[in-house]
């Protein structure tokens, strides 16, 4: 304060300089011998030490506050709780994925990410992922969430150097399990059946496992993976196999177009359209043709190899392939029905005396431009029975009198049904089926749907004796699941008659 004298001392050399400020704020400096002020020197050192300690403590508290209230908030609500969610990227999952990618990259193993959980997260934040690929990662959002597995896929036909990969993986610290099985593509060839191919690799690092699903190329330009079956000598407790998202049953997928992205600082390939791939996953179940049973059937009932039969099979195959292409372009799912489904399941082929190709479509998948699309594909409309709200049925004319019949299925509380109509009288029929789901199969070199509950579906249509060929078949009375369904009113039926 003004009018009071203040004094500050500074130790220098062997003297102490005193700064004195008088009432006019003038400062004078006086020299004093050092030895006369030893007690004051000790006091000043203690003060300085205390100030330094206090400053260090304050800075440490500031750092803790900054980390807790700024960094953790920026990295999301779960980042402060899960190890590895900050820039350190040191979670068990992330380290396992990083090491796996290093392994596959060094060995030129063409893998891509198919893990549904991670792909779904990427798909929801696709723009952020693409932007993150342009620079360094700031946080771990996808591979640092505690999980048992991360799933990748391998296109086997692109793998040029399989030998030694398994051993290198184990040298890097992975514990690996490999499952193999017979190649189903060769089951129809006696001399090649029994050849084994790799189906799944499970490689564990610490507590996290990488599930590598081996995709094999199939006719029709699609990819197939097999069922993961553990053999007797394999350790059932190696990983929690029940949690695997692939391998419970064989699966089929359209060949995905791939793109390279950076996820959590790791470069990898993913499907270019993750959403489309994710839509395929729950509906990917695949049923193989039963070649063994088909050979037994054809040994008991001699196959018809006459010229007419061979021409019909050729025309039916072409018609089915054309119909499949047309409906796929429309985005309308379908399945093999009636005699075409029976021929696939019973003898892995087309029944030569059936004289038509039969497909099923759920009525909710009907599109008004179906007729126009088939006509533009070179298949003129031959019959149209019923209406969209009841008993719709379409028939198209193929080459050499081979007909394409499309039956539309309606769902009730405890069953499904499709309709049939007698053109001459307008009498309606209903064919009842137990509820069913759809699986993929391969037939005439294309990937097509069939009812997963195939035997129930066939028995509903053909009875318990479906294994015995029947050449005489009356669609109005022979099926065990047929029942009358009334008659179309004359006014409505006249509209249908005028088509012909």
């Amino acid at each position: 304060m003004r009018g009071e004298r203040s004094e500050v001392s500074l130790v220098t050399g062997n003297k102490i300089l005193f700064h004195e400020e008088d009432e006019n704020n003038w400062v004078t400096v006086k020299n004093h011998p050092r030895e006369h002020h030893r007690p004051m020197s000790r006091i000043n050192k203690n003060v300085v030490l205390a100030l330094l300690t206090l400053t260090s403590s304050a800075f440490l508290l500031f750092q803790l506050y900054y980390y807790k209230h700024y960094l953790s908030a920026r990295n999301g609500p779960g980042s402060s709780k899960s190890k590895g969610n900050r820039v350190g990227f040191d979670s068990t999952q992330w380290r396992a994925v990083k090491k796996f990618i290093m392994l596959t990259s060094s060995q030129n193993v063409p893998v891509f990410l198919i893990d549904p959980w991670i792909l779904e997260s990427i798909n929801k934040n696709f723009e952020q992922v693409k932007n993150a690929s342009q620079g360094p990662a700031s946080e771990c959002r996808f591979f640092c969430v505690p999980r048992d597995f991360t799933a990748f896929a391998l296109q086997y036909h692109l793998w040029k150097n399989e030998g030694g990969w398994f051993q290198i993986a184990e040298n890097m610290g992975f514990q690996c399990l490999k499952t193999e099985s017979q190649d189903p593509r060769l089951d129809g060839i006696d001399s090649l059946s029994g050849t084994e191919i790799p189906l799944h690799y499970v490689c564990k690092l610490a507590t996290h496992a990488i599930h590598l699903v081996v995709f094999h190329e199939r006719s029709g330009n699609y990819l197939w993976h097999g069922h993961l079956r553990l053999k007797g000598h394999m350790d059932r407790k190696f990983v929690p196999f029940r949690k695997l998202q692939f391998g419970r049953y064989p699966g089929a997928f359209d060949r995905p177009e791939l793109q390279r992205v950076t996820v959590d600082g790791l470069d990898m390939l993913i499907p270019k359209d993750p959403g489309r791939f994710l839509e395929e996953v729950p509906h990917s179940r695949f049923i193989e043709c039963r070649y063994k049973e088909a050979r037994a059937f054809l040994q008991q009932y001699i196959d018809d190899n006459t010229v007419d039969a061979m021409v019909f099979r050729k025309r039916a195959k072409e018609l089915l392939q054309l119909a499949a292409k047309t409906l796929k372009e429309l985005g309308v799912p379908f399945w093999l029905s009636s005699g075409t489904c029976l021929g696939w399941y019973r003898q892995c082929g087309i029944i030569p005396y059936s004289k038509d190709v039969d497909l099923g479509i759920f009525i909710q998948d009907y599109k008004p431009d179906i007729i126009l699309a088939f006509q533009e594909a070179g298949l003129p409309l031959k019959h149209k029975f019923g209406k969209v709200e009841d008993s719709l049925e379409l028939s198209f004319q193929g080459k050499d009198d081979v007909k394409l019949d499309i039956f539309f299925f309606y769902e009730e509380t405890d069953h499904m049904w499709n309709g049939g109509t007698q053109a001459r009288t307008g009498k309606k029929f209903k064919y009842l089926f137990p509820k069913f789901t759809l699986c993929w199969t391969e037939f005439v070199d294309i990937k097509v749907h069939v009812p997963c509950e195939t035997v129930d579906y066939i028995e509903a249509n053909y009875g318990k004796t479906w294994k015995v060929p029947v050449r005489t078949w009356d669609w109005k009375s022979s099926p065990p699941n047929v029942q009358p369904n009334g008659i179309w009113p004359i006014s409505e039926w006249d509209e249908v008659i005028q088509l012909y």
Side-chain angles (χ1 to χ4, degrees):
M1 294 176 63
R2 182 178 297 273
E4 295 183 357
R5 183 182 295 270
S6 65
E7 185 175 278
V8 178
S9 64
L10 176 65
V11 180
T12 176
N14 295 321
K15 297 182 180 181
I16 299 178
L17 303 180
F18 280 84
H19 293 243
E20 294 183 350
E21 183 177 346
D22 60 19
E23 62 272 14
N24 296 317
N25 293 331
W26 290 99
V27 178
T28 59
V29 179
K30 299 179 181 180
N31 295 339
H32 293 272
R34 181 180 178 90
E35 58 270 12
H36 296 293
H37 299 278
R38 293 181 185 276
M40 184 62 72
S41 177
R42 292 194 193 98
I43 293 173
N44 290 337
K45 287 181 178 180
N46 291 337
V47 171
V48 172
L49 181 61
L51 288 173
L52 289 174
T53 303
L54 181 62
T55 303
S56 299
S57 300
F59 182 70
L60 179 61
L61 289 173
F62 173 76
Q63 285 182 312
L64 292 173
Y65 177 86
Y66 177 81
Y67 178 81
K68 179 178 180 181
H69 294 279
Y70 178 71
L71 290 183
S72 61
R74 189 180 68 179
N75 289 324
S79 60
S80 61
K81 298 180 181 179
S82 299
K83 181 180 179 183
N85 273 25
R86 265 303 301 140
V87 180
F89 297 103
D90 59 350
S91 76
T92 302
Q93 295 78 14
W94 186 85
R95 290 198 306 270
V97 173
K98 178 184 179 182
K99 209 163 191 177
F100 176 76
I101 291 176
M102 290 172 57
L103 166 66
T104 54
S105 297
S106 66
Q107 299 300 309
N108 295 318
V109 183
V111 302
F112 60 98
L113 182 73
I114 60 169
D115 192 285
W117 189 91
I118 298 177
L119 279 182
E120 185 175 358
S121 299
I122 290 175
N123 195 44
K124 290 179 180 177
N125 304 276
F126 203 47
E127 289 302 319
Q128 296 180 22
V129 171
K130 287 196 296 186
N131 293 336
S133 298
Q134 307 301 320
S138 60
E139 57 183 328
C140 188
R141 302 182 56 186
F142 304 98
F143 292 114
C144 291
V145 178
R147 297 175 66 239
D148 294 304
F149 296 95
T150 300
F152 286 83
L154 160 72
Q155 297 188 58
Y156 189 71
H157 65 284
L158 299 178
W159 195 2
K160 305 301 182 184
N161 187 23
E162 180 184 359
W165 178 85
F166 204 73
Q167 184 61 51
I168 295 172
E170 293 185 338
N171 292 341
M172 292 181 67
F174 286 100
Q175 296 175 279
C176 292
L177 178 73
K178 176 183 178 181
T179 64
E180 298 178 312
S181 187
Q182 295 181 6
D183 190 342
R185 297 169 297 181
L186 304 177
D187 281 351
I189 307 173
D190 289 337
S191 59
L192 297 178
S193 61
T195 302
E196 292 203 338
I197 53 175
L199 298 180
H200 297 266
Y201 291 91
V202 180
C203 293
K204 183 171 67 173
L205 184 69
T207 59
H208 191 72
I210 304 297
H211 180 199
L212 181 57
V213 183
V214 183
F215 279 173
H216 295 270
E217 196 171 31
R218 299 284 299 247
S219 299
N221 195 33
Y222 69 96
L223 302 177
W224 167 92
H225 72 77
H227 185 191
L228 197 163
R229 287 191 176 95
L230 297 178
K231 297 182 180 180
H233 66 280
M234 293 181 176
D235 183 7
R236 264 69 176 170
K237 297 181 180 179
F238 179 64
V239 291
F241 288 102
R242 292 183 179 180
K243 295 183 179 181
L244 288 175
Q245 295 167 300
F246 297 89
R248 294 190 186 97
Y249 42 73
F253 292 84
D254 289 340
R255 186 189 305 276
E257 187 178 353
L258 303 177
Q259 65 175 336
R260 186 169 295 278
V261 295
T262 301
V263 183
D264 290 344
L266 304 175
D267 292 334
M268 64 189 67
L269 292 171
I270 67 169
K272 190 171 185 179
D273 187 348
R276 180 180 175 185
F277 182 85
L278 288 168
E279 289 176 358
E280 291 187 76
V281 173
H283 309 291
S284 62
R285 185 177 177 183
F286 186 92
I287 299 177
E288 203 70 57
C289 176
R290 308 182 316 148
Y291 289 107
K292 181 179 178 180
E293 290 79 0
R295 282 194 290 266
F297 173 84
L298 295 175
Q299 288 176 357
Q300 183 175 2
Y301 303 98
I302 305 302
D303 198 11
D304 187 352
N305 289 318
T306 61
V307 174
D308 288 344
M310 294 175 67
V311 169
F312 171 74
R313 288 194 189 96
K314 182 176 183 297
R315 294 303 186 202
K317 177 180 177 179
E318 294 171 347
L319 180 58
L320 178 54
Q321 291 175 337
L322 179 58
K325 179 182 177 182
T326 304
L327 291 172
K328 184 175 182 179
E329 290 174 351
L330 287 173
V332 176
F334 69 96
W335 66 91
L336 305 183
S337 189
S338 303
T340 306
C341 182
L342 175 63
W344 162 77
Y345 192 73
R346 186 177 67 186
Q347 57 214 66
C348 294
I350 296 171
I351 300 175
Y353 51 84
S354 60
K355 302 305 179 186
D356 57 16
V357 172
D358 302 309
L359 303 181
I361 295 176
F362 292 120
I363 192 61
Q364 60 265 29
D365 293 321
Y366 169 80
K367 292 185 178 180
D369 50 353
I370 284 180
I371 294 176
L372 178 60
F374 275 104
Q375 289 176 334
E376 290 179 347
L379 301 175
L381 180 67
K382 185 175 183 179
H383 297 297
K384 178 183 178 183
F385 296 130
K387 299 186 296 183
V388 173
E389 56 268 26
D390 181 17
S391 306
L392 183 63
E393 177 188 350
L394 301 176
S395 292
F396 297 91
Q397 186 62 60
K399 295 180 180 179
D400 296 334
D401 244 6
V402 180
K403 186 162 57 79
L404 171 67
D405 290 333
I406 299 181
F407 304 100
F408 290 87
F409 280 65
Y410 300 77
E411 184 173 0
E412 302 290 350
T413 303
D414 59 350
H415 68 278
M416 294 181 181
W417 64 276
N418 74 278
T421 303
Q422 189 175 27
R424 182 173 54 84
T425 64
K427 187 176 181 179
K428 298 195 299 181
F429 298 87
K430 178 184 285 189
Y431 302 85
L432 306 182
F433 293 84
K435 287 194 172 184
F436 57 90
T437 55
L438 297 180
C439 289
W440 291 111
T441 193
E442 183 176 308
F443 188 59
V444 298
D445 298 326
I446 57 175
K447 184 183 73 161
V448 292
H449 273 129
V450 292
C452 299
E453 301 77 12
T454 317
V455 174
D456 293 339
Y457 187 89
I458 290 175
E459 285 187 353
N461 220 170
Y462 296 100
K464 298 286 185 179
T465 60
W466 57 269
K467 294 182 181 180
V468 180
V470 177
R471 291 179 176 271
T472 303
W473 187 261
D474 185 351
W475 62 270
K476 300 182 297 298
S477 58
S478 296
N481 63 337
V482 65
Q483 65 180 39
N485 193 30
I487 299 178
W488 287 103
I490 294 177
S491 59
E492 295 183 10
W493 191 239
D494 284 344
E495 297 178 6
V496 176
I497 297 300
Q498 290 174 7
L499 291 173
Y500 312 106

